[in-house]
Amino acid sequence: PQTEEATWMSSEMFRPNKKSSFHDSTSKLPKRKSGLRVSCLGLGTWVTFGSQISDEMAENLMTIAYENGVNLFDTAEVYKNNNTITLVSLSRRSSFVITTKIYWGGQAETERGLSRKHIIEGLRGSLSRLQLDYVDIVFANRNDVNSPMEEIVRAMTFVINQGMAMYWGTSRWSAMEIMEAYSVARQFNLIPPVCEQAEYHYFQRDKVEVQLPELYHKIGVGAMTWSPLACGLITGKYSDGVPECSRAAMKGYQWLRERVNSEEGRRQLAKIKELHLLADRLGCTAAQLAIAWCLRSEGVSSVLLGVSNTDQLIENLGILSQMTPQTVTEMDALLGNKPHTKKESRA
């Protein structure tokens, strides 16, 4: 559905449909670090684009997503992400947001990490492959202990000042690392990060719900989250083993197969079955419920979807119209893993 009216969350975000809002009040929003407007759902290209699906399917997915209000498309220098250029033919470049991530570039020592050299050369390489003049957000894809924080922040400031990116953010950084980057930026009058990209789903909660909220309020850093379906685990497709066509069956994803077959994985699958029953009662799919659950969290500006066909995408775009406190409470009781915030701990 196309945007009817902007409905704001923590980091200047609009939802594809007015009816998709879970936050009715804007009076308690954290301070905003950025005026960039992104859709509450974005399309990720990890694994699927360039390896799991055809170029034709990739273009279809991007077209459907864009026509249904999605304006955010996430890539990385290590992804096979040339399909992103198909967006140029869809509409004006200024009407969508492209991100890329820098860290894993090549085999040489100078082609990895967050040195000034690799940040600048890695971003130039990404722009060349994407056939774009600039990306909207460049993410530092994990922190680099071998690169001084000042060097990282200065390099990110440089690529922004050169017009290669509009903003920069972090991915898989700790709250302490993000705060250090912010402090360095303020000390030397440089540009601080505006967003952290973090894994977030039913079984990965602490960082987004406990560690990051303080940063939302103190310095305005928002969150863009990925893997809302826990690499497909939440859909229930692994309940009876690992299907041949699934991500866990792909080469290089032994870690996911081990996770599915582990004792902890079996416990999670049992909880997922109960969540499916709850979704049935609410009149939605398990995937729609999981995505709505992610969006209810404070500071989450956008949730990145990972899909391999149009049916999955259309299903995931049809998120719940309302996530009530009663539903959240019921889900917390079922999951049994709600983290304690600092306020709750003090109490």
Side-chain angles (χ1 to χ4, degrees):
Q2 295 296 327
T3 305
E4 295 176 24
E5 180 179 332
T7 303
W8 297 100
M9 277 183 63
S10 59
S11 200
E12 295 291 351
M13 180 280 300
F14 74 84
R15 298 181 177 282
N17 191 307
K18 186 177 172 182
K19 297 177 182 178
S20 300
S21 175
F22 311 126
H23 293 252
D24 295 323
S25 173
T26 58
S27 61
K28 297 182 180 180
L29 294 182
K31 67 168 71 173
R32 294 167 181 143
K33 176 57 59 182
S34 159
L36 182 65
R37 298 162 65 94
V38 298
S39 48
C40 66
L41 299 178
L43 186 62
T45 61
W46 179 45
V47 183
T48 51
F49 281 40
S51 57
Q52 194 175 1
I53 61 176
S54 66
D55 289 349
E56 181 182 5
M57 176 58 73
E59 186 167 355
N60 286 341
L61 291 174
M62 300 188 79
T63 301
I64 291 171
Y66 184 81
E67 289 177 348
N68 282 275
V70 172
N71 76 344
L72 175 63
F73 299 87
D74 180 65
T75 74
E77 63 173 338
V78 74
Y79 299 173
K80 297 176 181 178
N81 54 17
N82 290 335
N83 295 290
T84 308
I85 63 172
T86 60
L87 274 172
V88 176
S89 64
L90 293 178
S91 189
R92 301 179 305 282
R93 172 65 182 90
S94 58
S95 67
F96 51 86
V97 176
I98 299 292
T99 75
T100 193
K101 293 185 285 293
I102 302 296
Y103 192 96
W104 304 107
Q107 297 302 313
E109 285 297 319
T110 55
E111 295 175 329
R112 299 192 296 270
L114 296 177
S115 65
R116 178 182 176 90
K117 175 179 173 64
H118 182 57
I119 288 174
I120 295 171
E121 292 179 345
L123 182 52
R124 283 176 178 161
S126 286
L127 293 176
S128 176
R129 287 188 296 274
L130 293 168
Q131 299 183 35
L132 295 173
D133 295 326
Y134 67 93
V135 292
D136 296 279
I137 309 175
V138 54
F139 285 98
N141 193 14
R142 68 173 283 182
N143 191 24
D144 181 3
V145 296
N146 296 312
S147 297
M149 187 62 74
E150 183 181 341
E151 179 176 346
I152 296 170
V153 179
R154 284 191 182 278
M156 288 298 189
T157 299
F158 175 82
V159 297
I160 290 173
N161 289 339
Q162 292 293 307
M164 300 164 65
M166 298 291 187
Y167 307 87
W168 80 277
T170 57
S171 179
R172 298 188 292 175
W173 283 31
S174 69
M176 186 178 298
E177 290 165 343
I178 296 169
M179 196 67 210
E180 183 185 357
Y182 177 84
S183 298
V184 167
R186 284 290 170 256
Q187 180 181 356
F188 296 106
N189 196 28
L190 302 172
I191 300 173
V194 299
C195 182
E196 160 66 8
Q197 194 174 118
E199 182 178 5
Y200 185 47
H201 50 72
Y202 292 148
F203 309 112
Q204 188 78 273
R205 302 181 61 171
D206 282 16
K207 182 175 183 178
V208 172
E209 296 184 19
V210 178
Q211 298 173 32
L212 293 182
E214 194 169 351
L215 296 186
Y216 303 154
H217 293 278
K218 281 189 174 180
I219 62 175
V221 169
M224 181 186 299
T225 66
W226 50 276
S227 198
L229 304 182
C231 293
L233 195 72
I234 291 170
T235 64
K237 66 182 177 183
Y238 296 119
S239 296
D240 300 316
V242 178
E244 290 184 9
C245 59
S246 67
R247 182 175 298 183
M250 294 175 61
K251 183 179 179 180
Y253 288 85
Q254 177 67 27
W255 59 269
L256 183 54
R257 290 194 293 276
E258 292 174 354
R259 174 180 170 183
V260 170
N261 294 322
S262 68
E263 184 177 345
E264 178 64 19
R266 288 192 291 273
R267 284 198 294 267
Q268 291 175 353
L269 287 171
K271 292 182 179 180
I272 287 168
K273 287 183 179 179
E274 295 185 60
L275 288 165
H276 277 232
L277 295 176
L278 174 60
D280 290 341
R281 199 170 79 234
L282 294 173
C284 66
T285 68
Q288 290 169 343
L289 180 62
I291 294 166
W293 180 88
C294 291
L295 282 169
R296 104 227 174 275
S297 186
E298 177 189 28
V300 173
S301 299
S302 190
V303 172
L304 297 174
L305 307 176
V307 297
S308 57
N309 59 62
T310 54
D311 289 340
Q312 287 179 352
L313 176 60
I314 292 169
E315 174 190 349
N316 290 354
L317 290 174
I319 54 179
L320 278 178
S321 61
Q322 188 176 11
M323 176 68 72
T324 65
Q326 292 80 7
T327 300
V328 174
T329 300
E330 184 175 354
M331 294 174 75
D332 282 337
L334 194 158
L335 290 166
N337 64 355
K338 181 181 179 181
H340 294 290
T341 64
K342 290 184 179 180
K343 289 182 180 179
E344 290 172 336
S345 297
R346 285 196 296 266

